[in-house]
Amino acid sequence: MKQVETNISFLKQLNARQHEAFKMLFKDYYQDLAYFSCKILKDPVAAEDIAQDVFIRLWEKENYFENHLALKSYLYLSARNNCLNGTNIRVYTIF
């Protein structure tokens, strides 16, 4: 079980947009989201970009999560959608 899932006051802190809560969330889920994205994209660099983008969008938007399951669903669905939409995949062409 992840640290953020066992911390009772974590969601209150995250919903209040406290930096420490966001850091904890990033620490607990960044690698998992990058791995999940890499399974879809088969590209570790693009997968890391997707995972970073999920956290950037989470910070920029004003979200409210009632429970840990809603938060976890948001993270993974955002990563999946970004992978499938290809909106954040940078394509480099070498000439």
Side-chain angles (χ1 to χ4, degrees), residues 5 10 19 34 59 61 65-66 73 79 92:
E5 293 174 357
F10 170 76
H19 288 272
W59 182 254
K61 283 184 159 184
F65 299 101
E66 293 185 15
S73 295
Y92 299 99

Side-chain angles (χ1 to χ4, degrees), residues 2 5 25-39 47 51 55 72 76 79:
K2 301 220 178 273
E5 293 174 357
L25 181 68
F26 186 86
K27 180 182 166 215
D28 278 0
Y29 281 100
Y30 174 78
Q31 288 295 327
D32 293 345
L33 289 176
Y35 177 78
F36 174 76
S37 299
C38 190
K39 292 299 242 178
F55 285 101
K72 190 173 179 179
Y76 280 93

Side-chain angles (χ1 to χ4, degrees), residues 49-66:
D49 288 344
I50 294 289
Q52 289 174 11
D53 188 63
V54 167
F55 285 101
I56 290 169
R57 288 182 187 204
L58 176 65
W59 182 254
E60 290 175 344
K61 283 184 159 184
E62 201 164 313
N63 295 302
Y64 180 81
F65 299 101
E66 293 185 15

